[in-house]
């Protein structure tokens, strides 16, 4: 089973969209392995977004992600990384496919509501930034035999 890090970003929390966004991931069949609400420190934001350091949008991105609380989750499932990315939609809400979170709920690339790891390597780097091993729960669900063949 693959794991991925999801962040419900400050704009989504402020706009009352936590439930809406979790609902979409839950309905797909992803299992919530860990979840908490935190305010991201500048240090953590800089580690998480290190790959974007030096880009024109970097400073604004750090200000945005640290501006207000977020909900962070580890979601698990077969091909969870790809499925979460497809559920989120393209980075720019204006270009995202209708039916995705960013298209249905967003307008601006700088307020795109949600983060999801983009590869297994990224997930392996990002998850331990936010969660200790004890915080990530392993449990089975009866419904999984109806979600997976
Ligand atoms: P994603 O979040 O879809 O993985 P990314 O990793 O390329 O996208 O960028 C991280 C975040 O940075 C993205 O969610 C929004 C912001 N961002 C990316 N490109 C941007 C741009 N051209 N202008 C403004 N913000 C941008
Ligand atoms: Mg990314």
């Amino acid at each position: 089973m693959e794991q991925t890090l999801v962040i419900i970003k400050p704009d989504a929390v402020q706009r009352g969209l936590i439930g809406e966004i979790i609902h979409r991931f839950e309905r797909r069949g992803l299992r919530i392995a860990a979840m908490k609400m935190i305010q991201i420190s500048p240090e953590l934001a800089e580690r998480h977004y290190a790959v974007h350091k030096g880009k024109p949008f970097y400073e604004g991105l750090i200000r945005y992600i640290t501006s207000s609380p977020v909900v962070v989750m580890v979601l698990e499932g077969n091909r969870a990384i790809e499925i979460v990315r497809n559920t989120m939609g393209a980075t720019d809400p204006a270009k995202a496919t209708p039916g995705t979170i960013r298209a249905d709920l967003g307008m601006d690339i700088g307020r795109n509501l949600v983060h999801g790891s983009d590869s297994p390597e990224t997930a392996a780097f990002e998850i331990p930034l936010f969660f200790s091993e004890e915080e990530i729960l392993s449990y089975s669900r009866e419904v999984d035999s109806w979600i997976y063949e």
Side-chain angles (χ1 to χ4, degrees):
M1 283 268 172
E2 206 168 66
Q3 292 184 334
T4 186
L5 183 85
V6 168
I7 306 174
I8 301 177
K9 293 179 175 179
D11 49 333
V13 174
Q14 288 283 339
R15 291 174 56 199
L17 296 172
I18 297 171
E20 163 84 32
I21 291 170
I22 293 174
H23 188 47
R24 288 173 178 233
F25 291 127
E26 267 194 309
R27 275 191 301 176
R28 274 211 82 161
L30 291 152
R31 189 174 71 78
I32 302 171
M35 178 160 66
K36 62 187 171 186
M37 192 170 198
I38 60 167
Q39 178 126 9
I40 297 180
S41 67
E43 294 73 29
L44 178 56
E46 284 167 21
R47 290 170 73 189
H48 175 71
Y49 280 131
V51 292
H52 297 301
K53 198 170 168 74
K55 295 182 185 170
F57 58 86
Y58 176 77
E59 308 293 338
L61 181 60
I62 298 295
R63 261 199 311 278
Y64 161 51
I65 204 71
T66 59
S67 63
S68 186
V70 299
V71 173
V72 282
M73 302 186 283
V74 176
L75 298 183
E76 193 174 272
N78 291 347
R79 303 174 73 180
I81 292 168
E82 184 184 6
I83 283 173
V84 164
R85 296 284 297 186
N86 289 341
T87 305
M88 286 166 38
T91 306
D92 184 350
K95 300 197 174 90
T97 305
T100 63
I101 293 167
R102 285 165 164 172
D104 291 354
L105 305 174
M107 294 290 284
D108 190 311
I109 194 168
R111 296 288 184 269
N112 64 2
L113 300 143
V114 68
H115 167 86
S117 308
D118 64 8
S119 70
E121 297 70 33
T122 309
F125 169 76
E126 291 177 348
I127 290 169
L129 290 180
F130 292 88
F131 292 98
S132 66
E133 273 180 36
E134 309 82 74
E135 287 177 305
I136 302 171
L137 307 179
S138 208
Y139 58 97
S140 60
R141 301 181 306 182
E142 291 295 328
V143 76
D144 280 336
S145 64
W146 297 103
I147 293 172
Y148 297 109
E149 185 178 355

